[in-house]
Amino acid sequence: MAVVLVAVAVLYIARDVVMPLALALLLSFAVGPLVLALRRWHFGRVLSVVTAVVLAFSLISGIGALIGSQLAALAQNLPLYSYNMAEKVQSLREAAAGSSIFGSVSGMLKDLGNEIAKPAETPAKLTARRAPTLLPAVQESQPIPVEIRQSPSTPIEVIEAILGPLIHPLATAGIVVVFVIFFQLQREDLRDRFIRLVGPRDLNRTTQALDDGARRLSHYLLTQSGINGCFGVLIGTGLWLIGVPNPVLWGILAMLLRFVPFIGPVIAAAFPAAVSFAVDPGWSMLFWTLGLFLVIELTISQVFEPVLYGKSTGLSPVAVIVAAAFWTWIWGPIGLLVSTPLTLGLVVLGRHVERLRFLSIVLGDQPALTAEESFYQRVLADDSGEALAQAEQFLKTAPLADYYDKVAIKGLALAQLDVNRGALKHERRVQLKQAVDEIIDDLSDRNDILPPGKQDGEATPAQEPTSARDDIALGWRENAVMCIAGRGPLDEAVAAMLAQLLKNQGIDTLVVPISAVSVGKIAQLDVTGVQMACLSYLEAGGLTNARYLVRRLRRKLPHGTILVGFWTLSDEQVKSRDALQQTGADLIVTSLSQAVGQVCERARKACAAESLTSSSASNARPAAQ
């Protein structure tokens, strides 16, 4: 906080120096690609820099001169529009006379207009008007009116009056020009010094940060300038066709004001709308002007900008608004124009400097939480509706098995870590498991059928949902698979996910809690028709629990297949720990997709065996006859 306060104080107090420096830095990024292009064309370093800077500032000066001339022409023509404005104000006053509130406002405006319309009285006229009411003796004692006239201004005073208001802007522009030239001439040296200052021990990261920042800022400035230029040309041309006076002025202002986020186009539309209101005796020109801005702005912002910028500029909408308010408070209108590129530079800096990571989190457009963290937070807050919305968004481009593997299970793994450190009590775990069950139940309409040709359990959405697969053996369509929780409620939640995926494949399943397979209760476990047992573990531990549970199930299912899922281990970890040998299971998997694939493979083999047996029996009957 101390560093932030000091930085804000420096930006505000030393704005006469810092603001030109920031403007020069942004312009350096803007003209940088042109300088590099000129150098590739063998212009030489100094000539390339001077040419690029002269072209840039000539363009800026030309735009400023054009705006000045257009404003002067507009000021001369404004008195001609007073009659139309008075007529429209009168019509609005008459339309609002029916309402008491609007009627009182209308009367106030009328009185105010009459007072303004009265000719001003000079002191001499005021004295003459009051003179007849005074006594003769009093009239003789009245002072003689005195008129004070200033002496003609000297040439030096005229020059001071003209150049006085321009000294500060011209000085700022001169400082910016010097800084831009210096930055471009010393570009490599400044880069090396920055690397030496920030990260000499990690040249790769520092160079990557510099390249990323330069690329993002240059791309933003050039792309935004091009888009805004096209916006200004389209607006100016459209206003010329509509008949609004000074269309060049409004096109230039539209181009410049569009650098202001969100409210810039609105402000740009207000000026020509006011002029069209004053010029046109009717209302059609006003509506055409507003429609022109609305159509062009929506087309550019919703169609062209997403294509040119990608998904976004890297800033969150809230950050853009806050940054605009902050930089306007610090530097005024100039700060409002440069707020977005300056904030974008801070976000890039935060992405590559660890101690400034908070800038990227607060201002960037990247999600503050990962998908699994967001899932865990939603179910922890018992907000299953928001978690379900997140799931639906994910499932637009991926199957249900991928969502469970990449989001839900990883989120439950975070919950398991809290359990291990004692931060998640048993009651809380049960509540969390119930929230997950609600999500699983709400996703039951997702019927992601696994095609027979897929390998390694890779699930894809089916074209047409079916209740049972023709290639699944009859013995696998009713209580064929037991999905057993390895340790507690969280493992039981993953077992329910596996059961749902298997049911989508036409394989009937039964979810079994850990209490049902304990030493004292496993004897009462009904395993009629069970072909396979799938154990679920969010935490592998030392594999001891899995080994003893597999042994108990072996005695209960001597001819069944036992699969163990270690959802938080990788395939390499499973091999390095020799989990298959240590647990005594038939199969070891690390994802629900793999588990579904293994179960479906055995169900199809059983179906093929049934078909072969049936065919052999049908062939044997005619031979016996």
Side-chain angles (χ1 to χ4, degrees), residues 46 111 126 192 291 301 442 529 531 619:
V46 178
D111 296 338
L126 182 61
D192 295 342
S301 61
D442 289 332
Q531 306 289 334
N619 292 333

Side-chain angles (χ1 to χ4, degrees), residues 432-447:
L432 191 147
K433 191 259 181 185
Q434 292 174 352
V436 175
D437 286 340
E438 291 181 10
I439 297 173
I440 295 173
D441 182 66
D442 289 332
L443 295 176
S444 59
D445 58 337
R446 296 286 303 189
N447 203 358

Side-chain angles (χ1 to χ4, degrees), residues 92-93 95-110:
L92 291 176
R93 184 185 300 130
S99 173
S100 59
I101 297 177
F102 286 108
S104 60
V105 173
S106 176
M108 182 186 67
L109 292 176
K110 183 177 181 181

Side-chain angles (χ1 to χ4, degrees), residues 129-143:
R129 183 168 60 84
R130 292 180 178 177
T133 62
L134 300 176
L135 296 175
V138 177
Q139 294 179 9
E140 294 177 359
S141 63
Q142 290 297 314

Side-chain angles (χ1 to χ4, degrees), residues 21 51-52 163 176 179 321 331 333 363 383 404 527 537 576 598:
L21 183 63
T51 303
L163 296 182
V176 171
F179 275 143
I321 297 175
W331 291 345
L363 303 175
D383 189 1
Y404 285 153
V527 294
Y537 284 94
S576 64
Q598 294 291 347

Side-chain angles (χ1 to χ4, degrees), residues 127-178:
T127 303
R129 183 168 60 84
R130 292 180 178 177
T133 62
L134 300 176
L135 296 175
V138 177
Q139 294 179 9
E140 294 177 359
S141 63
Q142 290 297 314
I144 300 174
V146 178
E147 184 178 355
I148 300 176
R149 294 185 179 181
Q150 294 182 353
S151 59
S153 301
T154 63
I156 296 178
E157 292 175 345
V158 173
I159 294 174
E160 290 180 352
I162 296 175
L163 296 182
L166 299 177
I167 290 177
H168 186 270
L170 291 176
T172 302
I175 295 174
V176 171
V177 172
V178 172

